[in-house]
Amino acid sequence: MKNILVVGSLGQLGSEIAIGLRRKYGSDNVVLTDIRDDVNLDLVQGGPFYKMDSRDGEKLLEVVKKHKIDTIYHLAAILSATAERNPQRAWDINMNGLITSLEVARQEKCAVFTPSSIGAFGPSTPKQYTPQDTIQRPTSIYGVSKVAGELLCDYYYHKYDVDTRGVRFPGVISNMTPPGGGTTDYAVDIYYAAVEKHHYECFLRSDTYLDMIYMPDAVKAAIQVMEANPDKLRHRNAFNIASMSFCPEEQAAYIRNLIPDFTIGYDIDPVKQAIADSWPDCLEDYAARVEWGWEPDYDLESMTEDMIRTIQARRG
Ligand code: SER
């Protein structure tokens, strides 16, 4: 990877993967695009940036040619809870955005990173230690688009030899970019509420187990899988990556180690609860570990400490 393009660079994943890539490969070698340009001005002004729709193939081709791009990170997507409110729009953005990047990659011989998600699984998937290769019948439109995306990336690899790769991200927790419209967002919001109000009203049931990952590990995975030796990749796309699995009650207990008077209440959102109930409790990630050396640095305890300390320091 020398000349990289990040599509959807100001979103939850994009903002921090873009920082990680610019740090590693240099700002001038990491070109960013997004549908907006009015947030995160450090990124917008810190290197080449184009305001554009991820479905605009002509513009994308022009940018890829101009900057001699060899790798595209396609990170523009609508998350699970927002997607349920307007499924047609979610399908349009998630699928037409992806195929636009794949088509440009095919023409210009670029590699493509696309994230899939724990959302690519459904109620008939084994919930505990969900295998890499298993039943995928998701019931959310987000999940449907993620499975279709996984298959489309495999197709472009087999049919056109496009070097497509990706991981299935758990819920991503970060203290920089707030998530938007995801089912796993509670696990981020809870830290801000803990520092500011010492109380959090959770929209998922206390015993809802889901896979989560701390952002530094998510960025590491996104870069590492693209740098992996292709001869060792048997799966290429949609690697399960596990890091930690917990429920709100457990997360609250770890927060209480640092903020002893923290309390949690529950005000269940039925749409988000139904989505969470259809997803695995914890993934098995043997393929990622063996094929490209995946190993997370953070667990629930070290992430909680880092989140709380960072948010506290920022609030003074
Ligand atoms: N974090 C995402 C969501 O909740 C899952 O990939 O939608």
Side-chain angles (χ1 to χ4, degrees):
M1 288 196 284
K2 272 192 262 29
N3 296 318
I4 301 165
L5 179 81
V6 183
V7 177
S9 64
L10 301 183
Q12 186 201 4
L13 281 175
S15 324
E16 295 187 50
I17 290 179
I19 292 172
L21 289 168
R22 279 191 166 166
R23 226 172 253 156
K24 189 165 170 92
Y25 298 100
S27 295
D28 290 344
N29 300 326
V30 180
V31 180
L32 309 183
T33 78
D34 202 278
I35 188 83
R36 49 195 185 153
D37 61 1
D38 56 350
V39 291
N40 207 334
L41 294 184
D42 284 348
L43 276 178
V44 174
Q45 292 163 2
F49 180 93
Y50 295 87
K51 184 179 174 187
M52 57 169 281
D53 192 307
S54 63
R55 295 160 295 179
D56 184 346
E58 257 176 53
K59 177 83 182 166
L60 190 69
L61 183 62
E62 192 187 306
V63 173
V64 163
K65 280 186 166 161
K66 179 169 175 207
H67 292 272
K68 300 188 173 38
I69 296 297
D70 54 57
T71 305
I72 300 175
Y73 277 74
H74 183 86
L75 306 176
I78 304 278
L79 290 185
S80 57
T82 308
E84 281 315 302
R85 289 202 291 275
N86 191 341
Q88 293 74 17
R89 178 169 170 266
W91 176 265
D92 180 21
I93 290 173
N94 292 2
M95 296 315 299
N96 289 324
L98 176 59
I99 202 163
T100 301
S101 285
L102 288 170
E103 268 302 286
V104 170
R106 176 176 71 82
Q107 289 165 48
E108 296 301 308
K109 306 206 179 325
C110 304
V112 179
F113 173 88
T114 322
S116 186
S117 157
I118 50 173
F121 299 114
S124 51
T125 304
K127 267 192 165 324
Q128 302 289 334
Y129 299 103
T130 305
Q132 172 69 39
D133 303 306
T134 187
I135 302 164
Q136 289 185 267
R137 308 287 296 172
T139 44
S140 69
I141 189 68
Y142 175 73
V144 171
S145 75
K146 285 295 170 189
V147 176
E150 290 182 5
L151 295 173
L152 194 60
C153 288
D154 279 347
Y155 183 81
Y156 266 72
Y157 170 63
H158 290 297
K159 176 94 178 172
Y160 301 119
D161 210 22
V162 176
D163 184 2
T164 53
R165 305 185 192 186
V167 299
R168 292 183 182 128
F169 276 127
V172 181
I173 295 170
S174 151
N175 53 51
M176 273 177 64
T177 319
T183 303
T184 55
D185 294 7
Y186 94 83
V188 182
D189 300 341
I190 194 172
Y191 289 121
Y192 287 90
V195 172
E196 283 158 16
K197 298 187 278 210
H198 296 211
H199 179 78
Y200 180 63
E201 282 295 305
C202 186
F203 58 71
L204 294 183
R205 256 191 349 260
S206 63
D207 60 350
T208 310
Y209 275 87
L210 288 169
D211 274 285
M212 302 283 176
I213 190 171
Y214 199 27
M215 185 61 97
D217 279 331
V219 172
K220 181 170 95 162
I223 295 178
Q224 204 177 332
V225 75
M226 294 312 285
E227 288 182 337
N229 177 353
D231 300 339
K232 295 218 168 125
L233 298 183
R234 204 168 62 78
H235 287 87
R236 305 199 69 90
N237 284 296
F239 281 97
N240 281 5
I241 53 169
S243 175
M244 57 187 99
S245 162
F246 56 79
C247 63
E249 196 175 62
E250 252 175 42
Q251 193 182 12
Y254 275 88
I255 292 174
R256 246 174 250 123
N257 291 337
L258 303 165
I259 304 176
D261 64 346
F262 174 67
T263 53
I264 185 164
Y266 295 92
D267 181 12
I268 310 304
D269 177 323
V271 174
K272 291 178 182 166
Q273 186 66 54
I275 294 175
D277 287 341
S278 76
W279 289 354
D281 288 356
C282 63
L283 301 185
E284 171 274 294
D285 62 358
Y286 183 72
R289 288 176 188 261
V290 170
E291 293 178 41
W292 49 276
W294 162 244
E295 201 183 339
D297 293 325
Y298 287 88
D299 59 14
L300 176 56
E301 189 176 8
S302 52
M303 174 182 75
T304 299
E305 210 169 300
D306 200 56
M307 282 295 286
I308 299 280
R309 297 290 176 233
T310 309
I311 298 168
Q312 280 173 336
R314 219 174 275 151
R315 310 274 137 153

